[in-house]
Amino acid sequence: QGQLVESGGGSVQAGGSLSLSCAASGYDYSRFCMGWFRQAPGEERTGIAAIDSGGSKMYTDSVKGRFTISQDNAKKTLYLHMNSLKPEDSAMYYCAYTSIRCRLLLRPLGSDEYNSWGQGTQVTVSS
């Protein structure tokens, strides 16, 4: 049984930066699609970035140019570097894993495509 553990959340002022990490264990790291999702109170969980085991990346429009997803295969760790943060970026952030390559998914940023989730880490951006 695999496990995903997020870390790095916190509070920051608008315009600031934060980096999130997601340590993966017990998964096949040779073939996967991994994503970052966020959920604000009263809202649905939405995908914001995904990365394929081959390295291809995708982002939702609201974070393009501000957020960068990356992976370290040796450390089996997924990252999300967030710049120019806005109050509307405040949410619980989750990482997710599926052993299916991103290019084979119907919706790589769709939460129903993933079968393993971390416990989440809170990001709060104040104005």
Side-chain angles (χ1 to χ4, degrees):
Q1 185 69 21
Q3 186 178 26
L4 300 172
V5 180
E6 301 98 334
S7 60
S11 297
V12 66
Q13 289 194 328
S17 300
L18 277 177
S19 291
L20 307 182
S21 300
C22 172
S25 59
Y27 294 104
D28 179 2
Y29 225 72
S30 64
R31 179 191 68 222
F32 63 82
C33 185
M34 293 189 73
W36 285 101
F37 293 76
R38 65 186 182 189
Q39 186 171 21
E43 297 184 8
E44 292 185 355
R45 187 174 300 188
T46 58
I48 56 173
I51 188 167
D52 184 83
S53 48
S56 60
K57 306 174 185 180
M58 59 208 75
Y59 300 91
T60 193
D61 287 346
S62 62
V63 307
K64 281 180 182 176
R66 300 190 299 124
F67 291 10
T68 301
I69 189 170
S70 63
Q71 62 185 27
D72 184 326
N73 284 353
K75 294 182 178 179
K76 297 186 177 182
T77 300
L78 181 72
Y79 301 97
L80 185 69
H81 304 287
M82 305 182 292
N83 297 319
S84 303
L85 283 162
K86 305 175 181 179
E88 52 263 42
D89 294 318
S90 297
M92 186 70 79
Y93 282 69
Y94 300 88
C95 66
Y97 169 96
T98 176
S99 60
I100 302 171
R101 298 282 299 270
C102 292
R103 59 185 172 87
L104 299 178
L105 298 175
L106 186 62
R107 297 186 307 126
L109 295 181
S111 60
D112 54 354
E113 298 279 16
Y114 296 80
N115 52 21
S116 294
W117 293 85
Q119 83 289 348
T121 186
Q122 179 69 39
V123 172
T124 303
V125 185
S126 58
S127 58

